[in-house]
Amino acid sequence: MITVQIEEIDDISIDVGSEDDVPPLYLLSKKKNGVKIYQISPADHEKRPIEAVKHVLTNFLIQKNKFPIYLYLEVYPDLMVDFKHENIDFEVVHLEDFKKRDYEGDRFVGFYQVLRVKIDNESVLRHIINRTYNLATIHFLYQLSYNEHLDFKVYKSPVDAVVPIYHMLESSSYIIAGYDGLYLELITNEPEFMELHQLARFLSAIVNVKI
């Protein structure tokens, strides 16, 4: 069985990289009172960490058994053509004109969309995560929640990014992929996850848990 490490963190993570002052993974619209932030990552010995994270993400949501789920992800425009061919139902919820850096280090202007994909059941959930999680490994926004509507803040210096804003106005949870897709952060104010041991007990049905 896959082993993961979980810890409660006090501060919002930044999406670590080579540049200073990089944007945060997400923003909270009010003080953190009553909100718990947990980081879930594969244990050091896991040889396929991305697959381990996908397993945790998929089965956490299946065990929650609450639908619909909304996946928000940043994509290249041409990927939407593939989604249409694969009958993946999506809606563009944010369009931004970014200057992205190509592999030669030159700057160019490109249009990047944030899509919302509605997930109605377990079968669709498995398919969508398997098909799209690779985007999380290239530093694109990849987050899931039960909230159909999200606000965003755009950063254009020094690193271009679309950052979701979590209002936490009612009992809710958000899951966002961290750097290279190698870990997850769970941002929650749901009573069932107010203590670390509660989350560990919930996850122990699908993975081995280290605290």
Side-chain angles (χ1 to χ4, degrees), residues 131-182:
R131 175 63 181 85
T132 63
Y133 195 76
N134 64 302
L135 293 168
T137 70
I138 55 174
H139 319 309
F140 275 19
L141 170 68
Y142 195 94
Q143 85 96 58
L144 297 103
S145 71
Y146 302 108
N147 191 340
E148 186 177 359
H149 303 287
L150 280 185
D151 294 324
F152 300 93
K153 179 175 181 179
V154 175
Y155 289 81
K156 290 196 174 184
S157 178
V159 178
D160 300 328
V162 176
V163 174
I165 302 170
Y166 302 149
H167 296 292
M168 311 303 292
L169 297 178
E170 56 187 28
S171 181
S172 56
S173 290
Y174 299 87
I175 302 176
I176 192 164
Y179 183 70
D180 276 353
L182 289 171

Side-chain angles (χ1 to χ4, degrees), residues 48-102:
R48 302 176 67 194
I50 295 297
E51 292 303 313
V53 173
K54 285 170 59 177
H55 174 85
V56 173
L57 177 60
T58 302
N59 288 281
F60 176 91
L61 293 168
I62 289 172
Q63 186 161 306
K64 284 279 288 180
N65 194 30
K66 180 180 177 181
F67 295 93
I69 300 166
Y70 296 94
L71 167 64
Y72 291 81
L73 71 167
E74 185 185 359
V75 301
Y76 296 110
D78 55 359
L79 189 58
M80 293 191 295
V81 177
D82 294 340
F83 284 179
K84 289 177 181 178
H85 289 160
E86 297 170 25
N87 294 317
I88 294 177
D89 189 18
F90 65 87
E91 181 179 353
V92 177
V93 295
H94 191 88
L95 175 65
E96 192 63 43
D97 177 3
F98 274 157
K99 291 182 178 180
K100 291 283 187 177
R101 189 181 298 278
D102 68 13

Side-chain angles (χ1 to χ4, degrees), residues 3-19:
T3 301
V4 299
Q5 302 172 130
I6 62 172
E7 62 177 320
E8 183 178 349
I9 59 177
D10 294 325
D11 298 314
I12 298 172
S13 294
I14 59 172
D15 200 353
V16 293
S18 59
E19 301 183 64

